[in-house]
Amino acid sequence: MFLPDLDTVWDLRIARAKFGVGSINEVGYDLKRMGASRVLIVTDKGLMKTGWPDRVKEIIEDRGISVEIWPEVEPEPSKQSIERGIEFAKERNIDGFVALGGGSSIDSMKVINLITSYGGEILDYVSPPIGKGKKVPGRLKPMIAIPTTAGTGSETSPVAVIALPERRIKVGVSDDECRPHLAILDPQLTVSLPPKLTASTGIDALSHAVEAYVTIPYNIKKRPENPLKRPAYGGRTPITDIFAEKAIELIARSLRRAVYKGTDLEARADMLLASFLAGVAFTNAGLGADHALAMALGGKYHVPHGVACGLFLPEVMRFNIPAEPEKFAMIAYLFGEDIEGLSSFEAAELGIEAVIDLERDIGLPNGLSAIGVKEEDIPEIAKDAYKLQRLLVGNPRLVTEKDLENITRASMVLW
């Protein structure tokens, strides 16, 4: 049997980052070094009420830089909303960007920067068959991501997710040039995040870390024709494993505390760091069936992405145990479970129970039925998820459409 040449090279891609309480105070300094003179802060109306966008504006203006605020980011931003941001930026001749908020703000900033830098339409840069699949021509204008949630990892990701409500789907622009040039991770900005959002974004980060940790390794993927064609989701590596393990450990230790008492700055710092580490892990290693199912669910039921990931995560883990029992056993250990004397399969089951306990404790819905999914909906969810082969190709166990149906059915009630 002929086997293609396998890749022997991995390429770690990561955004530059600053971490720590008070790191926000250096945003003006960094923009000045990047050469920005007319900066747009991309944020949302809810965050405006906290006063943080105005405070960031003052910090930047203290460096002699002109600043405008565009506070119209939508949750799960639509193509139409981002187009309004593009027009706002064009009218003001913006040459630098700051995103302040969750993944929606950061993703909106990336696309606004792209189109104001190189022109064209948003769908020009979206993969076929929805878009034209055009590559980003070159480096974008300076952009800094300041996350106020701990979950999406968008601050280190090359991807921007865009909703097309008229088609009931989400699409993405994915290019290394869309990775923010700097992420500023200041835990104090996450303190005002409400418990439900803290829970959903935290589970999003956990799903990133778990899937990146068990995805197929880089050296069983086919060697690319040239280095430029090596996929962003290149398979797990020794480095992504380290990042994923630490993220899982931090989330297991601190997500409950961050949900129960939002002013616990130590817990908030743990979660913000975990989100970044998980973001680095998955944007290099890839994802799997959990995210494919979550994306299929999110467009139809309008459930937050992190919640969707959480609803499928335990049963996807259970399905994948035969492919990576030792790694799933390690997840149990990272959750603090006593696995001494247990087989890998027994320990892995403890890891699943630990994830379910966490989800119950932080108030996630008790399975898909709790958000309105019916038995007759299961085949369509599985069918839509099966189309997302760019995600499923990284799943550690080969997954069929029937497998996705079975996982979805098992996820109807979690506890």
Side-chain angles (χ1 to χ4, degrees):
M1 182 176 65
F2 173 76
L3 292 176
D5 288 341
L6 300 180
D7 206 355
T8 57
V9 176
W10 54 264
D11 178 5
L12 183 69
R13 305 166 188 180
I14 182 173
R16 176 177 165 236
K18 289 187 175 184
F19 179 89
V21 175
S23 54
I24 191 71
N25 295 319
E26 299 183 10
V27 61
Y29 166 83
D30 285 299
L31 284 166
K32 194 75 172 179
R33 285 194 65 197
M34 292 176 179
S37 60
R38 294 176 301 280
V39 168
L40 180 65
I41 296 175
V42 178
T43 189
D44 62 72
K45 291 178 180 177
L47 204 58
M48 288 297 294
K49 297 175 183 177
T50 69
W52 279 114
D54 288 322
R55 174 60 186 141
V56 171
K57 183 174 184 287
E58 291 174 2
I59 293 169
I60 299 170
E61 288 176 335
D62 283 347
R63 291 282 175 173
I65 298 171
S66 173
V67 184
E68 296 270 2
I69 299 177
W70 186 67
E72 303 297 328
V73 171
E74 295 178 346
E76 314 289 335
S78 67
K79 172 176 168 287
Q80 291 79 8
S81 75
I82 297 174
E83 286 170 342
R84 291 192 290 272
I86 291 167
E87 290 308 309
F88 187 95
K90 282 181 177 178
E91 291 169 0
R92 288 156 180 81
N93 199 22
I94 297 298
D95 64 5
F97 294 85
V98 172
L100 189 66
S104 296
S105 294
I106 299 171
D107 287 359
S108 296
M109 171 189 70
K110 295 173 185 176
V111 181
I112 293 169
N113 191 350
L114 169 58
I115 301 301
T116 57
S117 295
Y118 294 106
E121 302 293 329
I122 293 173
L123 292 183
D124 290 345
Y125 299 93
V126 170
S127 297
I130 303 298
K132 297 180 180 178
K134 183 179 177 181
K135 291 290 292 179
V136 177
R139 189 171 175 85
L140 301 188
K141 297 168 186 171
M143 56 179 166
I144 296 177
I146 307 175
T148 60
T149 67
T152 69
S154 185
E155 68 273 10
T156 188
S157 166
V159 178
V161 178
I162 304 146
L164 303 179
E166 67 283 2
R167 303 190 193 187
R168 296 182 70 191
I169 60 171
K170 295 179 182 178
V171 295
V173 173
S174 180
D175 193 288
D176 262 345
E177 297 296 347
C178 292
R179 199 183 307 272
H181 303 128
L182 173 65
I184 293 181
L185 310 171
D186 192 328
Q188 64 183 323
L189 272 70
T190 67
V191 166
S192 61
L193 193 66
K196 282 189 176 181
L197 280 174
T198 302
S200 66
T201 55
I203 288 297
D204 192 12
L206 178 63
S207 65
H208 289 155
V210 169
E211 291 216 284
Y213 191 51
V214 301
T215 190
I216 62 173
Y218 75 97
N219 57 0
I220 66 170
K221 290 197 169 188
K222 186 176 179 180
R223 188 193 310 274
E225 294 177 15
N226 62 66
L228 286 176
K229 292 189 176 182
R230 181 170 286 115
Y233 288 179
R236 72 174 192 258
T237 73
I239 294 292
T240 61
D241 276 0
I242 291 170
F243 278 57
E245 284 183 358
K246 189 62 179 180
I248 294 167
E249 178 188 348
L250 291 170
I251 294 165
R253 179 173 84 191
S254 294
L255 180 52
R256 288 179 177 88
R257 289 164 52 197
V259 170
Y260 296 158
K261 187 178 181 182
T263 55
D264 185 333
L265 198 57
E266 181 181 51
R268 292 293 193 181
D270 278 355
M271 288 306 303
L272 191 59
L273 180 57
S275 175
F276 179 76
L277 295 176
V280 173
F282 93 81
T283 58
N284 284 276
L287 296 166
D290 184 45
H291 272 76
L293 285 162
M295 291 189 71
L297 182 75
K300 293 178 174 58
Y301 289 87
H302 307 291
V303 60
H305 175 69
V307 172
C309 289
L311 294 177
F312 288 111
L313 183 58
E315 292 302 326
V316 170
M317 290 173 67
R318 184 168 281 117
F319 173 81
N320 283 328
I321 284 174
E324 290 288 349
E326 293 82 7
K327 301 206 81 165
F328 282 105
M330 176 57 99
I331 290 171
Y333 176 79
L334 294 169
F335 264 86
E337 298 294 323
D338 182 3
I339 63 172
E340 186 175 355
L342 300 180
S343 70
S344 295
F345 286 87
E346 291 169 330
E349 286 289 340
L350 287 183
I352 294 170
E353 293 305 316
V355 170
I356 291 173
D357 288 345
L358 175 61
E359 294 186 353
R360 180 175 55 234
D361 288 349
I362 63 176
L364 257 62
N366 183 13
L368 297 172
S369 60
I371 62 166
V373 177
K374 308 295 184 190
E375 179 72 22
E376 56 266 29
D377 302 328
I378 292 174
E380 184 181 6
I381 293 170
K383 182 178 180 180
D384 288 346
Y386 193 67
K387 294 175 184 176
L388 299 174
Q389 289 296 318
R390 67 182 179 85
L391 297 174
L392 295 176
V393 72
N395 202 68
R397 181 179 172 187
L398 188 65
V399 57
T400 66
E401 189 172 328
K402 187 64 177 178
D403 292 328
L404 294 172
E405 281 192 33
N406 292 336
I407 291 168
T408 304
R409 188 168 290 107
S411 302
M412 292 294 282
V413 178
L414 294 178
W415 60 80

